Amino acid sequence: MDALFVFGHKFIRHGDEVYSPGQFPYTVWKRYLRHFDHLTVFGRRRVSMSSVSPSVLNRSDGPDVSFELLPESTSLLSRLARPMRSRRRLRTLIDEADAVILRNGPLAWQAARLSCHSSTPWAIEVVGVMWEAFWHHGSMVARAYAPFAEALSKYWASRAPFALYVTEKTLQNRYPCGGVTAGISDVMIPDPDQKVLDRRMNRIMRRHRPLTFGFAGSIENESKGVREALCALKEAQSALPPYEFRIIGPGESGRWKELAKDLDLRSNVRFSGLLPAGEAVLKWMDTIDIYLHPSFREGLPRSVIEAMSRGSPVLASRAGGIPELLPDGVLHRAGHWRELAQHIRTYATDQEWHLQNARRNFGVSRKYRCSKLKEERREFWGKFYSYANADKTGGGVVFS
């Protein structure tokens, strides 16, 4: 049986190879290939990778996976219009597939409609709050589209035969589904090792200097809160010892360097570009003292869980499912950088707070260990496979 995966992720072609900036290494496709014989990925293609080295990207192509990638669009308006232009090709791929797996977004909604028309079994992955994603994108077109995106997300989640959520309850409450559901984070971290926590505790006790803040995520637009992090650090600076703010992630850093210069933070901020997902990012997390995540839009952020799995204290916004991960006292309202600044002033030099949060975060991260989530995903996608196979063979499968 063959499956089609539809999501507007931006992949990079380099010759015959396909790369992803962090989110979709080949190992992700194995989740589906455990059940299906072949997976076709329908997504977006970045026009050029001249500014990105393949060495810091994740190889996404591999055995039994093929790609159908739409050319990169230069504006949000053209991206919103693109599903109309791609409908014919998408309809053909859906008609050829035995099952369709959608990751929530405009392309997925187009595919859901076509799947219903063709009676092809489909499932949806709900990975974030659509209102947040469009409202905080940074353009007026995106803001205008935000209420429609929210309504469409609710509509298609409600109609899905199968829905996989990355949260325990946050996205389920916002986008309820009457079909078969599961709450399974899409994070991929190794089983937490006690030695990692021991090293973190030793680092805290040594009072490492300079104090190091970190952020990992896209800096392509305003939605991840880079501006808010910089403003908060400037506001709190008088209460801080010498410090650095280290940033990794895809996107051009030019405008953020200009902002850091305007805030007189140029010597404090270090942009390190992309790192390969997995071990390289986890080792980077070991070099920071406090992880900052003032995001405007989230599902259940992988980078926060990665930081927690390394025993790092975290200060974050309340966006998406973040309150499922962290206690109320370390959370601020998205966009309210003065609240974040107050948290930085209060906690940054409090050794006992660092110790307590290191232990707490490391313990919570165990819920997201790879071995546990792998088995939960296997069960969910196994049920979907049985449902799709029964549809193909004319049988009947009922799930509670």
Side-chain angles (χ1 to χ4, degrees):
M1 297 229 322
D2 297 339
L4 173 68
F5 182 92
V6 181
F7 183 47
H9 181 69
K10 192 181 295 184
F11 295 91
I12 299 173
R13 279 198 183 275
H14 184 60
D16 295 330
E17 299 170 350
V18 179
Y19 292 86
S20 168
Q23 195 174 8
F24 290 102
Y26 177 74
T27 51
V28 169
W29 309 133
K30 290 183 178 180
R31 300 174 184 175
Y32 315 108
L33 292 173
R34 289 188 182 98
H35 309 281
F36 295 95
D37 300 312
H38 184 271
L39 185 72
T40 300
V41 179
F42 189 83
R44 297 158 55 193
R45 175 172 58 85
R46 186 188 295 270
V47 171
S48 172
M49 62 173 295
S50 58
S51 61
V52 183
S53 169
S55 64
V56 299
L57 298 171
N58 292 283
R59 184 81 178 267
S60 193
D61 62 297
D64 302 316
V65 178
S66 58
F67 291 82
E68 291 272 347
L69 303 179
L70 299 170
E72 182 178 24
S73 298
T74 57
S75 70
L76 177 65
L77 186 60
S78 61
R79 288 201 297 272
L80 296 177
R82 183 175 50 208
M84 299 299 294
R85 301 194 300 270
S86 64
R87 179 182 296 177
R88 181 176 301 175
R89 183 56 184 153
L90 193 52
R91 180 185 291 114
T92 299
L93 290 172
I94 289 172
D95 288 342
E96 294 173 349
D98 299 302
V100 180
I101 299 167
L102 315 173
R103 186 163 283 206
N104 205 19
L107 273 181
W109 305 326
Q110 180 74 66
R113 182 179 293 106
L114 294 171
S115 297
C116 289
H117 288 167
S118 67
S119 298
T120 304
W122 61 284
I124 193 167
E125 297 182 342
V126 184
V127 298
V129 177
M130 284 296 105
W131 177 277
E132 293 176 352
F134 284 89
W135 187 259
H136 298 293
H137 179 274
S139 76
M140 293 303 296
V141 173
R143 285 199 167 196
Y145 188 68
F148 299 99
E150 182 74 359
L152 286 167
S153 188
K154 290 180 178 179
Y155 176 76
W156 287 113
S158 71
R159 296 197 61 184
F162 281 71
L164 179 65
Y165 300 85
V166 297
T167 58
E168 293 182 357
K169 58 183 179 180
T170 301
L171 295 175
Q172 289 89 325
N173 291 338
R174 189 163 187 136
Y175 307 110
C177 171
V180 177
T181 65
I184 308 170
S185 170
D186 62 356
V187 71
M188 292 183 294
I189 59 171
D191 290 6
D193 185 339
Q194 181 63 35
K195 293 179 181 178
V196 172
L197 180 59
D198 292 342
R199 288 196 298 268
R200 172 65 61 174
M201 304 300 274
N202 289 335
R203 179 185 176 90
I204 294 171
M205 294 302 295
R206 292 198 311 268
R207 293 183 178 271
H208 179 79
R209 291 295 182 268
L211 182 67
T212 304
F213 299 91
F215 167 82
S218 173
I219 60 173
E220 291 184 347
N221 55 51
E222 301 275 349
S223 65
K224 290 298 184 178
V226 177
R227 181 182 302 276
E228 284 63 33
L230 292 171
C231 290
L233 286 169
K234 177 63 176 179
E235 178 82 1
Q237 186 164 267
S238 62
L240 297 177
Y243 73 91
E244 288 183 349
F245 181 34
R246 299 176 183 173
I247 300 172
I248 59 172
E252 296 296 328
S253 61
R255 65 168 160 171
W256 304 120
K257 290 179 178 178
E258 283 298 314
L259 177 59
K261 179 181 178 181
D262 293 342
L263 294 172
D264 196 24
L265 296 178
R266 185 167 52 181
S267 62
N268 300 95
V269 181
R270 181 190 303 176
F271 292 88
S272 301
L274 278 169
L275 290 179
E279 185 178 359
V281 172
L282 296 178
K283 287 184 176 180
W284 178 86
M285 291 288 185
D286 289 337
T287 69
I288 65 173
D289 298 302
I290 301 176
Y291 182 73
L292 302 181
H293 201 79
S295 181
F296 287 93
R297 63 177 179 91
E298 287 300 342
L300 200 71
R302 179 182 60 186
S303 61
V304 170
I305 298 173
E306 287 173 333
M308 293 169 67
S309 76
R310 311 309 285 186
S312 176
V314 179
L315 298 174
S317 74
R318 300 180 187 277
I322 295 177
E324 294 185 6
L325 299 173
L326 297 166
D328 188 68
V330 302
L331 301 176
H332 64 275
R333 292 171 293 171
H336 290 248
W337 55 266
R338 285 190 172 86
E339 290 182 14
L340 174 58
Q342 182 58 48
H343 289 163
I344 292 172
R345 281 194 295 264
T346 301
Y347 301 128
T349 59
D350 185 338
Q351 187 179 66
E352 186 57 33
W353 178 84
H354 281 255
L355 293 170
Q356 290 177 356
N357 279 265
R359 287 189 289 264
R360 181 215 172 266
N361 290 352
F362 183 81
V364 171
S365 74
R366 292 181 183 276
K367 293 170 53 179
Y368 302 95
R369 63 188 184 274
C370 187
S371 58
K372 175 178 180 291
L373 298 183
K374 182 184 295 186
E375 185 56 38
E376 292 174 355
R377 292 191 196 102
R378 188 192 304 273
E379 180 180 354
F380 178 83
W381 291 117
K383 288 182 179 180
F384 178 62
Y385 171 83
S386 297
Y387 167 77
N389 189 49
D391 180 85
K392 181 179 181 181
T393 59
V397 177
V398 178
F399 299 105
S400 58

